[in-house]
Amino acid sequence: MLRYLLSRLLTFVPTFFGVTLISFAFIRVLPGDPIIVMAGERGLSEERYQELVRQYGFDKSVFQQYVDYLGGVLQGDLGASFVTKKPVWDEFFSLFPATLELSICAMIFAVALGIPAGVIAAVNRGKLPDRLFMSSALVGYSMPIFWWALLLIILFSGMLGWTPVSGRMSLMYFFEPVTGFMLIDSLLSGQEGAFRSAVSHLILPTIVLGTIPLAVIARQTRSAMLEVLGEDYIRTARAKGLSPARVNGVHALRNALIPVVTVIGLMVGTLLAGAILTETIFSWPGIGKWMVDSIFRRDYPVVQGGLLLIASMVMIVNLTVDVLYGLINPKIRRR
Amino acid sequence: MSLLEVRNLTVEFATSAGQFRAVEGVDVTLDKGEVLAIVGESGSGKSVSMLAVMGLLPWTATITADRMAFEGRDLREITPAERRKIIGKDIAMIFQEPMSSLNPCFTVGFQIKEALRQHLGLDRKARHNRAIELFEQVGIPAPEKRLNVFPHQMSGGMNQRVMIAMAIACNPKVLIADEPTTALDVTIQAQILDLLLELREKNGMALALITHDMGVVAETAERVAVHYAGQKVEEQPVAGLFGRPYHPYTAALLAALPERATSRILPTIPGVVPGQFDRPAGCLFAPRCAHASAICQTRPPLPRGADEGHARCHTPLLPDGKTVAAPIEEVSQ
Ligand SMILES: Nc1ncnc2c1ncn2[C@@H]1O[C@H](COP(=O)(O)OP(=O)(O)OP(=O)(O)O)[C@@H](O)[C@H]1O
Ligand SMILES: [Mg+2]
């Protein structure tokens, strides 16, 4: 197991360098000069411009700039934002809990609904529940996120007035972040109504972000279940006189989960991509919105550092999923 | 009243090429403490007919029967919940495929204890002890340790023994054993068969034994049913069948046994079992039968009386291995 972990960590190395290179190149091929953007509508004098160019090292060759950047990264220095002057590292970790909270909620939403839906569809293959769930999944999967979000906002925020439209917390409440997770912090604060407010802010973004994973998980669960249900050991389970709930929910699902967990792991990347859009729509103060804003501001260090950290997160999550995969699949565990 | 009574069982599968009849008009009768052997070439519907009794066929299967009763109750008329109380407890089955019949995600201990909990309501400790006892009975070494092992960590033979232990866990009244000893070596094979016969002595368990091994049939069975292309073509007490087969297929099957061969070359049955698309209009065995006459090609034979081994044959064999011509009134019909 340890050797496996080490060998997997080793494969991170080329990925890591690849991401630094791509993020470095990506922001530079975008048209627009960060110094001009920073100066805004006021503009700035030629001397001041040259001074800033030297200060940020833009007078050096691109190669040299990359080497400098990489040197910093390897020492754990991701640079500071051009705009706020705060270290990228600090900004990332002050905003990351918001994204994490939203992503976890979306994933729980997707798993909690997707797996039962997939099981029910597979057990009733070809019948009404199957058709209903699978056509909904297809719609959910192919619907544009922003359109879906607007639809929900119009219905639940506009017409029914049940949920707020943006942010993480009503302005009525204020408390210092402890964990960074609004659901936990609001409870810790002890302020009445704060938790309710946190929940109501989370509902729509969770649904919007969780819809595609929900559709993918439901479909994957269904097809994995269908495959497993034809296996000889399911026949054995039925031959013991076990109830259908136990046969499907224990004997079949346990095996079907193996491919489903892989898909869930692979979806973490998709989820972060979706988070960028969702956070922008709901003004959710997380890293998705932070990245979009910094791209518009041509905030080089933030874009580079943010992408690198996001990529690292995805790699770590994928590794965790692989380990988990070994835990639920006995055939791998003992080897 | 028979313990198990199946009349005119037919099973059809929906396949992409249309309906496929895997079992046709099969009768099974099993009394308390009786051993019935079911023999026949591969694909003759032995497993499918028994799976139909267990209610374990996939949804593509259509099962029809005049009667399918256990202890006088028709299995198709009781609720699924009632049927589940019988399946696994009173009627149990050992499957043909030991390697794929155990769930790879659970330890074998979990899987055998599950059967015990389902039907016997034993507590944890009692289940554990019973599981160990069962493993010992089927000859699994170090049973206590084996309980915590996953199926893929054991050999096919060990899996087979676990399957057997699971099937006999609740002391079934009827045990259907589908080639239970294929994955086992000869000594273990004998030990398992002895165990099954011992359970018959002790509990009056009835045994339906599907096998290819005529030696096993001769040693263990009381009655033998011969299947061909989904039909039961003959059924006789074991001595009668070996001594005087009525159906030419049975005779050919016996002649193909190595120990009965008179020359150094084993006689084989020419031709192949009819498939889905070349099912003969008359007797299913007619294309391969040395004694087939005109009527055999056109009219499917009905089972004859018990005195002629229930043989599905127009021209059953005489003691000298020849046949009489089909009776006149049958030809003229
Ligand atoms: N699920 C299924 N769908 C379609 N056809 C099936 C299915 N199961 C079995 N069959 C067919 O039914 C026929 C009888 O199969 P069965 O397994 O009963 O044979 P068998 O007598 O047990 O043979 P063997 O000695 O090889 O075990 C075969 O032709 C087989 O292909
Ligand atoms: Mg078989």
Side-chain angles (χ1 to χ4, degrees):
Chain A
M1 195 67 205
L2 200 68
R3 271 191 50 189
Y4 171 72
L5 268 180
L6 281 179
S7 70
R8 277 300 305 266
L9 282 173
L10 223 61
T11 64
F12 282 5
V13 175
T15 318
F16 186 83
F17 283 106
V19 171
T20 60
L21 191 62
I22 290 170
S23 60
F24 182 86
F26 155 73
I27 189 68
R28 275 170 180 74
V29 296
L30 287 184
D33 185 327
I35 297 175
I36 307 270
V37 176
M38 254 189 288
E41 303 207 330
R42 269 182 306 128
L44 76 179
S45 69
E46 183 60 25
E47 292 105 75
R48 178 76 186 127
Y49 180 82
Q50 290 304 339
E51 192 188 320
L52 284 172
V53 163
R54 267 193 305 283
Q55 186 188 326
Y56 289 120
F58 292 148
D59 52 339
K60 297 185 203 158
S61 73
V62 175
F63 179 72
Q64 187 59 47
Q65 288 180 41
Y66 178 65
V67 171
D68 289 349
Y69 166 62
L70 203 59
V73 168
L74 290 180
Q75 293 168 39
D77 175 15
L78 295 176
S81 162
F82 287 167
V83 180
T84 64
K85 314 293 181 213
K86 280 198 255 167
V88 171
W89 195 258
D90 294 357
E91 286 209 334
F92 181 86
F93 281 103
S94 70
L95 295 171
F96 187 61
T99 301
L100 194 61
E101 183 173 41
L102 174 58
S103 304
I104 291 175
C105 287
M107 220 20 147
I108 292 175
F109 167 77
V111 168
L113 293 184
I115 290 183
V119 171
I120 292 170
V123 171
N124 299 289
R125 90 182 274 179
K127 299 198 195 120
L128 186 70
D130 185 19
R131 281 158 203 256
L132 195 71
F133 286 162
M134 285 310 114
S135 43
S136 318
L138 191 65
V139 172
Y141 184 73
S142 34
M143 208 160 33
I145 283 195
F146 63 90
W147 183 77
W148 175 225
L150 291 181
L151 213 66
L152 289 176
I153 290 176
I154 290 171
L155 182 64
F156 290 105
S157 308
M159 287 162 69
L160 296 170
W162 289 351
T163 54
V165 187
S166 69
R168 294 178 78 190
M169 178 54 69
S170 159
L171 293 174
M172 281 162 58
Y173 308 99
F174 179 78
F175 39 83
E176 282 300 321
V178 184
T179 59
F181 293 110
M182 214 42 107
L183 290 176
I184 299 174
D185 287 354
S186 62
L187 277 179
L188 291 179
S189 77
Q191 295 179 37
E192 204 175 320
F195 181 71
R196 270 188 62 135
S197 172
V199 171
S200 68
H201 279 82
L202 253 170
I203 290 177
L204 287 192
T206 295
I207 295 176
V208 168
L209 184 55
T211 297
I212 289 179
L214 167 61
V216 174
I217 291 174
R219 288 164 63 107
Q220 182 66 45
T221 306
R222 176 182 181 271
S223 68
M225 277 293 287
L226 282 182
E227 200 172 319
V228 168
L229 284 175
E231 296 283 348
D232 286 343
Y233 53 77
I234 296 304
R235 191 178 64 189
T236 309
R238 284 168 54 211
K240 289 187 213 169
L242 302 177
S243 67
R246 189 157 171 96
V247 173
N248 296 323
V250 176
H251 283 265
L253 183 58
R254 183 61 209 274
N255 285 275
L257 275 184
I258 295 171
V260 172
V261 165
T262 318
V263 165
I264 292 175
L266 291 175
M267 223 141 47
V268 171
T270 323
L271 203 67
L272 285 175
I276 293 182
L277 211 58
T278 312
E279 289 181 0
T280 311
I281 297 168
F282 289 97
S283 304
W284 189 265
I287 51 166
K289 188 166 180 304
W290 178 58
M291 291 304 297
V292 172
D293 291 347
S294 54
I295 290 171
F296 283 123
R297 291 185 197 131
R298 301 289 183 275
D299 196 341
Y300 285 13
V302 171
V303 175
Q304 289 166 182
L307 282 178
L308 187 61
L309 288 171
I310 292 173
S312 308
M313 290 291 171
V314 173
M315 287 191 282
I316 291 170
V317 170
N318 282 348
L319 180 63
T320 316
V321 169
D322 277 357
V323 173
L324 209 64
Y325 185 82
L327 285 182
I328 65 166
N329 188 352
K331 284 195 186 173
I332 292 180
R333 196 191 318 173
R334 303 291 166 112
R335 272 192 199 142
Chain B
M1 184 183 64
S2 302
L3 201 53
L4 185 70
E5 189 185 2
V6 178
R7 290 280 156 267
N8 198 15
L9 172 71
T10 296
V11 180
E12 288 192 341
F13 288 105
T15 68
S16 50
Q19 290 292 102
F20 170 59
R21 188 169 289 186
V23 175
E24 183 176 337
V26 166
D27 295 345
V28 186
T29 310
L30 206 52
D31 288 319
K32 194 167 187 289
E34 196 183 21
V35 181
L36 168 73
I38 304 174
V39 298
E41 266 169 287
S42 191
S44 54
K46 306 182 296 290
S47 301
V48 169
S49 56
M50 288 301 125
L51 288 170
V53 172
M54 294 285 289
L56 294 176
L57 287 171
W59 58 276
T60 49
T62 317
I63 304 168
T64 53
D66 294 344
R67 190 166 165 73
M68 200 154 92
F70 173 74
E71 292 187 321
R73 285 206 296 172
D74 198 304
L75 291 171
R76 294 161 309 163
E77 279 159 16
I78 58 180
T79 64
E82 279 177 316
R83 191 166 181 174
R84 286 201 300 273
K85 286 200 189 111
I86 296 176
I87 298 303
K89 176 164 194 313
D90 293 334
I91 311 179
M93 182 160 177
I94 302 168
F95 298 103
Q96 202 170 356
E97 305 84 3
M99 280 318 270
S100 56
S101 289
L102 288 169
N103 194 323
C105 281
F106 298 102
T107 62
V108 294
F110 174 91
Q111 296 186 55
I112 190 168
K113 287 175 190 170
E114 189 177 34
L116 294 170
R117 190 177 57 190
Q118 182 73 19
H119 296 292
L120 302 185
L122 300 177
D123 64 24
R124 254 179 98 84
K125 186 87 194 112
R127 287 201 298 268
H128 187 74
N129 292 339
R130 173 80 175 134
I132 292 175
E133 182 191 0
L134 285 161
F135 273 20
E136 266 164 7
Q137 282 187 343
V138 296
I140 296 178
E144 178 125 37
K145 257 203 310 224
R146 291 285 176 152
L147 286 176
N148 302 318
V149 152
F150 288 93
H152 69 273
Q153 295 169 304
M154 301 193 306
S155 65
M158 282 298 160
N159 278 315
Q160 180 90 292
R161 289 182 226 186
V162 173
M163 290 296 302
I164 296 168
M166 261 164 58
I168 61 174
C170 302
N171 288 322
K173 294 179 180 164
V174 173
L175 178 66
I176 301 167
D178 195 348
E179 311 202 8
T181 53
T182 35
L184 305 177
D185 53 48
V186 186
T187 47
I188 277 295
Q189 206 167 332
Q191 184 189 333
I192 293 290
L193 287 172
D194 284 346
L195 171 66
L196 297 184
L197 294 178
E198 187 190 313
L199 288 174
R200 173 183 71 151
E201 290 301 317
K202 216 170 66 190
N203 307 337
M205 179 180 85
L207 180 63
L209 182 66
I210 301 176
T211 180
H212 283 283
D213 188 336
M214 283 295 181
V216 170
V217 174
E219 272 170 43
T220 53
E222 287 155 353
R223 254 182 323 128
V224 188
V226 181
H227 281 224
Y228 181 78
Q231 294 180 334
K232 186 174 80 178
V233 295
E234 178 158 4
E235 179 172 331
Q236 279 208 66
V238 67
L241 187 103
F242 279 94
R244 179 164 178 205
Y246 287 96
H247 199 286
Y249 175 66
T250 314
L253 209 60
L254 293 174
L257 291 176
E259 58 270 26
R260 292 199 166 206
T262 42
S263 74
R264 284 192 53 214
I265 303 163
L266 274 183
T268 53
I269 310 173
V272 290
V273 187
Q276 186 175 0
F277 304 109
D278 54 0
R279 254 178 124 75
C283 171
L284 296 181
F285 188 58
R288 303 170 73 185
C289 183
H291 310 283
S293 58
I295 187 176
C296 302
Q297 313 289 354
T298 50
R299 277 240 328 260
L302 294 175
R304 308 185 83 91
D307 55 335
E308 288 178 296
H310 304 279
R312 257 185 206 268
C313 185
H314 292 299
T315 58
L317 297 175
L318 298 172
D320 57 2
K322 305 244 171 52
T323 63
V324 283
I328 308 290
E329 68 276 337
E330 273 190 46
V331 178
S332 61
Q333 261 173 9

